[in-house]
Amino acid sequence: MGRYWKLVVLVTGIVVVLGTFFIQTTLANLALPEFDIKKVTGDLAEIDPVIINGYYEDRIVWSDMWITSKETVHLNERSFFERMNDLQFHSPLVQDLYKNNRSFLRGKNFYSGTFIENDEQITYVSLPWDQTNDTAVQVEIAILDKQSKEETLFQLDIPNGEKYFYLYLEQVIVRDDELHIAASVSPHFDDEEMHVYSIDLAKQTVTHDTLISDQDSYLQTYVDDDQPTFLVFEKNQEVEESHSEFVDKQLMYMDLATKEVVNLDLPFELDEDKIVHLENDTLYLLSLAEKQLMIEGFNLVTEEVLEKTIDMPLLSNVTINNYVMALSGQKVYLTRSNPNENRGAPITVIDFLTENMLFEGTIEPKQEIGNHYKLTFYNMNVRN
């Protein structure tokens, strides 16, 4: 018996760990509430494509979760083996894509790669595993034709890739038969650069390398997925002036057809808390004040200017620090966290062009859970 003591200890340890996990999971699940989206006015169907990410906490338990119009999903409720599958940590949008295209997406990493889907195809762009050696930086491109189910896979060297230490994918756009990859790249021990690499999918070659910025600054990208004509960049750079620091915010865009890059000189202020949205060639800046949604628009083609303010009485006590906003088309989806309040968190859907209030409601627990809980939202997605 003595010769098997190591095996006995190992098995006992595994049983204890798994038993503790299942006991803790069971006890935690007894305290995890479900939430419901209740209508005040409007059409409840407007909320069907919405996925709200956040976390729930009370005196006993803390749980990552997401809420839709049909269910509440707590990650703490997942089994041990489900937690071993990192797909569960992605939003339902990614999970649906994977479930509907298992063969094509099997083995593809949603952390290091990115994908885009349209009516004709799914395009997945990733980086080969080793990007730290002395060879040129490469990207790997996989394409699934939805109708024929034909798969195409190829790798491309990034122009001047031998001088870059790493590459980070920012945005992937498919327009006609051309793929555009916005990427941050860093030369060895130098500042970061932002490039857009345009690729002819039929010839599998890089046709253009467009430099967007060669300064060490934080850039975000925006594109109209339904009409990808322009790629907009928001550039935020810390500036020191008179012994103080502030963020210098600039906007520029790239015309995907001509590859021209244009710096925007907008007729309104670029405050740090304004949210950027691109729709039908118009760049919108949206911001919230007490019970009001402010909208400023600038058409990139006609240079037409739009300014309007919409009253939103349900969104009381909204600040830049506690609201979550999502945009899809010309609809704005708004909610805010619910910090220790004995009432539901508000949720609103509005057409910001027509000013029609499409839905107003609240997110409330389905059962009585008292006042000692906190519901925090940090992201919201809208299924297309």
Side-chain angles (χ1 to χ4, degrees):
M1 182 67 182
R3 73 179 70 176
Y4 300 114
W5 70 269
K6 291 184 180 180
L7 178 61
V8 172
V9 170
L10 177 62
V11 172
T12 302
I14 293 173
V15 170
V16 170
V17 170
L18 290 177
T20 302
F21 172 83
F22 288 121
I23 291 171
Q24 289 179 337
T25 300
T26 301
L27 291 175
N29 288 348
L30 293 176
L32 290 176
E34 293 188 350
F35 290 85
D36 195 15
I37 300 177
K38 296 185 177 180
K39 182 179 79 169
V40 176
T41 61
D43 185 0
L44 192 58
E46 293 289 345
I47 297 297
D48 285 346
V50 174
I51 305 160
I52 304 168
N53 300 94
Y55 61 87
Y56 167 86
E57 60 180 312
D58 58 26
R59 293 175 175 178
I60 300 174
V61 68
W62 186 99
S63 175
D64 275 309
M65 60 182 293
W66 59 71
I67 298 172
T68 70
S69 62
K70 296 179 173 59
E71 64 177 349
T72 302
V73 177
H74 291 274
L75 294 188
N76 284 5
E77 294 175 332
R78 298 302 176 94
S79 71
F80 176 80
F81 297 103
E82 285 177 319
R83 296 189 192 197
M84 296 294 288
N85 178 8
D86 69 354
L87 186 65
Q88 64 146 337
F89 295 104
H90 292 282
S91 75
L93 294 171
V94 174
Q95 294 188 36
D96 288 347
L97 182 75
Y98 185 85
K99 290 174 183 176
N100 296 330
N101 303 276
R102 288 182 181 273
S103 177
F104 174 67
L105 294 176
R106 185 176 294 114
K108 293 180 172 58
N109 190 320
F110 288 94
Y111 291 107
S112 62
T114 187
F115 65 89
I116 185 168
E117 181 182 18
N118 57 29
D119 293 337
E120 292 79 31
Q121 66 188 44
I122 299 173
T123 304
Y124 177 85
V125 181
S126 62
L127 306 176
W129 180 253
D130 187 4
Q131 292 284 333
T132 60
N133 54 30
D134 293 330
T135 61
V137 173
Q138 291 183 322
V139 293
E140 186 171 276
I141 299 165
I143 301 170
L144 172 67
D145 186 299
K146 287 185 173 182
Q147 187 167 4
S148 68
K149 302 301 180 182
E150 180 181 353
E151 298 181 18
T152 303
L153 177 67
F154 60 95
Q155 289 188 353
L156 285 175
D157 289 339
I158 291 299
N160 303 310
E162 66 280 354
K163 74 176 186 178
Y164 297 129
F165 183 65
Y166 75 87
L167 178 147
Y168 180 79
L169 301 172
E170 301 282 356
Q171 182 83 49
V172 173
I173 305 161
V174 174
R175 183 178 185 271
D176 298 328
D177 293 325
E178 198 169 34
L179 173 68
H180 305 275
I181 300 174
S184 300
V185 295
S186 179
H188 294 290
F189 310 111
D190 287 329
D191 290 339
E192 195 171 76
E193 300 174 358
M194 173 73 83
H195 290 248
V196 175
Y197 302 103
S198 301
I199 298 166
D200 186 317
L201 292 176
K203 297 179 180 179
Q204 299 183 6
T205 58
V206 179
T207 57
H208 293 85
D209 173 7
T210 306
L211 176 64
I212 304 299
S213 174
D214 59 358
Q215 298 177 339
D216 190 12
S217 55
Y218 176 66
L219 282 93
Q220 289 180 278
T221 58
Y222 306 91
V223 68
D224 182 352
D225 292 328
D226 296 327
Q227 185 179 326
T229 305
F230 302 103
L231 177 58
V232 172
F233 297 88
E234 176 186 336
K235 180 178 178 181
N236 296 290
Q237 189 167 13
E238 290 188 357
V239 178
E240 290 189 16
E241 188 175 280
S242 301
H243 306 291
S244 63
E245 289 186 359
F246 67 95
V247 176
D248 180 29
K249 185 172 183 175
Q250 302 174 20
L251 289 173
M252 63 189 78
Y253 70 86
M254 173 181 170
D255 187 317
L256 296 177
T258 66
K259 313 300 184 290
E260 180 185 12
V261 178
V262 178
N263 289 311
L264 282 168
D265 184 15
L266 298 176
F268 25 74
E269 295 294 326
L270 290 176
D271 296 340
E272 190 175 352
D273 61 347
K274 291 182 178 179
I275 294 176
V276 179
H277 179 61
L278 185 62
E279 176 70 19
N280 292 331
D281 298 338
T282 298
L283 183 68
Y284 294 99
L285 300 179
L286 298 95
S287 57
L288 280 175
E290 181 65 21
K291 300 182 181 182
Q292 287 188 324
L293 175 67
M294 275 87 65
I295 301 155
E296 298 161 312
F298 182 80
N299 189 288
L300 301 179
V301 178
T302 66
E303 299 188 354
E304 180 182 359
V305 175
L306 167 73
E307 294 184 80
K308 63 169 64 179
T309 301
I310 303 174
D311 292 328
M312 305 184 74
L314 189 66
L315 289 177
S316 59
N317 301 320
V318 167
T319 70
I320 186 64
N321 296 318
N322 70 3
Y323 79 88
V324 178
M325 181 188 295
L327 297 110
S328 180
Q330 58 191 59
K331 295 179 182 179
V332 178
Y333 301 78
L334 279 164
T335 186
R336 68 174 175 83
S337 297
N338 188 27
N340 299 311
E341 296 180 4
N342 189 22
R343 57 180 175 176
I347 182 167
T348 300
V349 184
I350 186 170
D351 186 315
F352 67 83
L353 292 183
T354 65
E355 302 186 27
N356 289 333
M357 193 69 67
L358 305 176
F359 177 82
E360 287 184 295
T362 55
I363 303 170
E364 300 182 6
K366 289 185 176 181
Q367 64 269 34
E368 180 61 38
I369 59 176
N371 300 332
H372 301 292
Y373 76 92
K374 185 177 181 181
L375 191 61
T376 302
F377 302 133
Y378 52 79
N379 190 33
M380 182 160 47
N381 292 302
V382 181
R383 300 174 193 258
N384 293 325

